[in-house]
Amino acid sequence: MPLPVREPHEALAAWGFDDHPGASGFALDCAGGAEAVFRVEETVHGRTVALVSVHGVGGAGGSCAIEMVSDTETLVRGLGIEANLLVINHVFAKWEADRIYFWPEEDHLPTIQAYPAMLAEVAEPPGDVAARAAGRRTFVISREDWQKIASVFLRVLSGKD
């Protein structure tokens, strides 16, 4: 569900993420020109479990970045990667980005590392991405790799598999 990004601190507070360790950086990124912010809702209990931003579309070399802040205590195992995959799909469908960079929260690293064929860790991200990632482990997925595997993930996520 897209959220307005004019007042990111208010959005973070409204959905219970104002005290999240990544909230400050997330709000700065959003205030600096996020193209979109999405709310991830766990529908069984109607709780907001994460916010995901898309920023830097049209950046250097056709890249952009996504960032997630989540409630790792209530986030259902696997929902974080599912949310990221759906945002990645949306970005590639809507914009002309060639690569999407992201830096998962520490709790999500084991799941992210389970997909080495499509996600590559980046030792030295490009300048603007490195500044946003602030020393966290950064990964990238290319449009070409996404196109090779997207149909499988989307079919699984839709429950048709």
Side-chain angles (χ1 to χ4, degrees):
M1 169 181 299
L3 294 174
V5 294
R6 290 185 301 274
E7 299 295 335
H9 287 289
E10 289 179 19
L12 286 163
W15 301 112
F17 292 98
D18 50 334
D19 62 349
H20 186 281
S24 177
F26 185 86
L28 286 173
D29 287 339
C30 292
E35 278 74 18
V37 177
F38 296 91
R39 180 173 64 97
V40 180
E41 182 180 78
E42 182 270 317
T43 58
V44 172
H45 299 100
R47 294 182 295 221
T48 298
V49 294
L51 297 172
V52 184
S53 68
V54 178
H55 42 84
V57 173
S63 66
C64 70
I66 61 173
E67 181 167 5
M68 174 185 276
V69 293
S70 68
D71 181 349
T72 56
E73 291 181 16
T74 60
L75 191 66
V76 175
R77 182 168 169 76
L79 187 58
I81 187 67
E82 289 177 1
N84 276 307
L85 292 173
L86 290 171
V87 171
I88 287 167
N89 187 64
H90 178 76
V91 170
F92 282 139
K94 184 170 180 163
W95 291 291
E96 294 297 320
D98 292 328
R99 288 175 310 289
I100 299 173
Y101 291 92
F102 61 100
W103 36 94
E105 294 176 311
E106 200 65 33
D107 290 350
H108 300 166
L109 282 171
T111 305
I112 295 294
Q113 292 169 320
Y115 298 98
M118 68 176 196
L119 302 174
E121 188 165 1
V122 180
E124 293 186 31
D128 60 329
V129 172
R132 285 190 194 113
R136 292 176 282 177
R137 291 178 65 184
T138 302
F139 294 80
V140 65
I141 184 167
S142 70
R143 177 180 291 275
E144 180 181 347
D145 287 343
W146 179 250
Q147 288 173 335
K148 290 176 188 174
I149 54 87
S151 62
V152 173
F153 280 104
L154 296 173
R155 190 172 61 247
V156 169
L157 291 176
S158 71
K160 295 179 182 177
D161 207 28

